[in-house]
Amino acid sequence: MSKTSTRREVLTARWIVPVQGEPIERGWIRRQGETVVEIGSGSPGTEATDFGDVAILPGLINAHTHLEFSMFDQPVGQPGIQLADWIGQVIAARGATTVAQRVSAIRKGILESAKAGVRLLGEITTPPIEYPDIDPSVLDFPLETIHFCEVIGLSAQRSAERFAAAESHAICDGSNSGPTQLMEHAAISPHAPYSTLPDTIDRCVRWSAKHRRPLAMHVAESPSERELLINGTGPMAESLKRLGVFDESLFPQATTSKKSPFVELINQLSACHRGLLVHCNDLRQSEIDTLSQFANLSVVFCPRTHRHFGFDRHPVAQMAKSGIKVALGTDSRASNPDLNLWGEVQFLLNHRTDLQPSSVIAMATQNGADALGRKDIGRITVGSQPGLIKVATNASSAEQLYRDFATGGNPVCIG
């Protein structure tokens, strides 16, 4: 459905899942164009389109992905591969691709995401890169993308070059407004604490705060990252040496707490406008406690990528208990079999029974939208424009509904 459509319609189904609030049995949604104007239960009192035995949900939010790696048909490396080894293989594969091939991969990833019912992507962009022009009419869904321009480098020169490239990518061409106007969906991403200078991280944090744009950063992705930061040793250190970028003056990092470099990093990132800490596979309770103090910081968990690397059990339950907002992402096809965010939902529903099913659905919708600063999507509320998906179910209770979500088929886009 076009964003400019003013068509009025009422949709009914066995279940409506607004996310903000309990699932509504025999519910209905009234909308004008894409905007929800009313929701309720029982008879809507007017002619309606009945979708039957399905649950209607808001479109999904993929808070973290790398579309340029959609060229991979299967994850890189065998399950349990060391992250450091995986990084080396991915860098080599990317270096062998052309710009045209990367643009083609991005197009493939966009189409796959839209088909999977994703309403918004938190996309890591490696400028300079071109994005394909895709006619919205060929998409299954009204998909939007936030471009997190990646800043990476362990030398002052490299860092300055990548920051300048990020700023250049983020700036509009000036045809409609001033030449310093930022793109509507521009954001920034200092890559990781093992690949970005602390001063550059500060620079990215200041940029985020100044322009009121979100910031994303890979944090505590593996135990080898912690070993590098604390001791300057381990698989990550060896990987940096193989790449020719290891600097003994940077690792180990001089921190006030040798036991937890991530506490200092979290405090550093808290000065940004809105921050997404990606993966956080190796965060410990003291670090989770620190993170929980900052309402502007969220975690993005990529469950099937976590499984690919064989990491220890993710502390997502402790995060949720601490009040941290956790969103879901797919990472990329370099670490995940596909970009189907519903696959992440089903993985958690089937493997993390310590999580409330309703909270898992929130991770795939509302939490991601909030983390990315979009209160208008990720939930079905009056005034929202969530895009709608449907999932087959004949459940007669909310408990059975979530069981159907865990074992049933993929979502189908309504629009």
Side-chain angles (χ1 to χ4, degrees):
M1 181 182 296
S2 169
K3 288 186 177 182
T4 59
S5 172
T6 58
R7 182 164 62 110
R8 295 173 178 267
E9 61 181 347
V10 176
L11 314 178
T12 66
R14 178 179 283 270
W15 290 93
I16 304 295
V17 183
V19 182
Q20 284 188 349
E22 296 298 319
I24 303 170
E25 189 172 9
R26 301 297 178 183
W28 51 267
I29 302 167
R30 191 187 312 275
R31 64 179 182 173
Q32 181 169 335
E34 289 189 357
T35 303
V36 175
V37 296
E38 191 178 5
I39 59 175
S41 60
S43 172
T46 188
E47 183 179 350
T49 301
D50 187 358
F51 284 87
D53 289 338
V54 302
I56 295 179
L57 299 90
L60 306 177
I61 312 298
N62 186 343
H64 178 74
T65 192
H66 300 254
L67 292 177
E68 66 176 302
F69 297 139
S70 300
M71 61 188 177
F72 292 106
D73 292 326
Q74 60 186 13
V76 172
Q78 295 298 316
I81 185 174
Q82 276 278 346
L83 177 66
D85 295 335
W86 177 89
I87 290 172
Q89 292 184 38
V90 171
I91 290 174
R94 187 185 189 278
T97 62
T98 65
V99 171
Q101 287 172 327
R102 290 196 289 273
V103 172
S104 177
I106 289 171
R107 177 184 176 85
K108 176 183 175 183
I110 289 172
L111 295 175
E112 181 180 2
S113 299
K115 185 175 182 179
V118 171
R119 179 70 173 81
L120 180 65
L121 285 169
E123 152 73 344
I124 301 297
T125 298
T126 309
I129 187 66
E130 298 176 13
Y131 277 77
D133 291 325
I134 299 178
D135 185 343
S137 66
V138 307
L139 295 176
D140 293 81
F141 216 53
L143 177 65
E144 297 179 63
T145 302
I146 292 179
H147 296 257
F148 286 93
C149 301
E150 188 172 75
V151 180
I152 191 170
L154 290 176
S155 71
Q157 180 179 349
R158 174 68 170 168
S159 294
E161 290 173 351
R162 300 319 303 157
F163 188 87
E167 283 199 309
S168 178
H169 183 88
I171 293 173
C172 294
D173 62 13
S175 58
N176 298 319
S177 53
T180 59
Q181 180 70 28
L182 295 183
M183 292 192 305
E184 180 182 358
H185 295 311
I188 199 160
S189 177
H191 176 257
Y194 60 80
S195 59
T196 313
L197 293 175
D199 287 348
T200 304
I201 297 172
D202 274 336
R203 194 175 183 186
C204 292
V205 167
R206 291 194 299 270
W207 187 96
S208 167
K210 175 182 177 181
H211 297 291
R212 299 185 62 79
R213 300 303 176 90
L215 174 151
M217 186 174 190
H218 302 79
V219 174
E221 194 167 358
S222 76
S224 62
E225 180 178 324
R226 185 182 296 272
E227 182 178 358
L228 169 70
L229 298 180
I230 294 176
N231 300 319
T233 58
M236 191 66 71
E238 295 305 315
S239 177
L240 294 178
K241 290 175 183 177
R242 288 194 297 271
L243 294 170
V245 296
F246 185 82
D247 186 337
E248 291 184 353
S249 70
L250 298 176
F251 307 108
Q253 290 187 355
T255 64
T256 57
S257 173
K258 287 290 185 180
K259 294 182 179 179
S260 181
F262 297 115
V263 166
E264 294 188 18
L265 179 62
I266 291 165
N267 283 310
Q268 183 181 22
L269 296 177
S270 69
C272 75
H273 172 59
R274 190 182 301 279
L276 290 78
L277 281 63
V278 181
H279 299 307
C280 295
N281 300 317
D282 189 44
L283 278 193
R284 298 175 181 174
Q285 190 60 53
S286 63
E287 297 152 355
I288 292 172
D289 292 341
T290 300
L291 181 56
S292 69
Q293 299 172 24
F294 302 107
N296 65 324
L297 300 182
S298 302
V299 166
V300 184
F301 177 28
C302 304
R304 291 184 295 165
T305 289
H306 181 273
R307 174 183 60 177
H308 179 64
F309 291 108
F311 294 132
D312 290 341
R313 189 175 178 85
H314 194 282
V316 59
Q318 296 96 299
M319 294 173 181
K321 185 177 180 180
S322 297
I324 295 168
K325 192 159 287 185
V326 179
L328 294 185
T330 58
D331 202 47
S332 75
R333 275 183 163 267
S335 62
N336 205 326
D338 53 55
L339 301 182
N340 179 9
L341 196 77
W342 194 251
E344 312 299 329
V345 170
Q346 291 190 314
F347 181 87
L348 290 182
L349 290 176
N350 285 299
H351 294 90
R352 292 303 300 263
T353 55
D354 54 331
L355 298 173
Q356 290 294 325
S358 59
S359 72
V360 173
I361 300 301
M363 290 177 191
T365 52
Q366 175 179 288
N367 290 5
D370 290 350
L372 294 167
R374 293 292 302 274
K375 298 287 186 179
D376 59 322
I377 59 178
R379 70 217 80 198
I380 303 173
T381 57
V382 173
S384 66
Q385 295 186 334
L388 299 174
I389 58 176
K390 61 181 181 179
V391 178
T393 179
N394 58 8
S396 57
S397 67
E399 182 180 1
Q400 179 60 53
L401 174 66
Y402 291 122
R403 286 200 294 269
D404 287 352
F405 286 169
T407 59
N410 289 323
V412 175
C413 301
I414 296 174

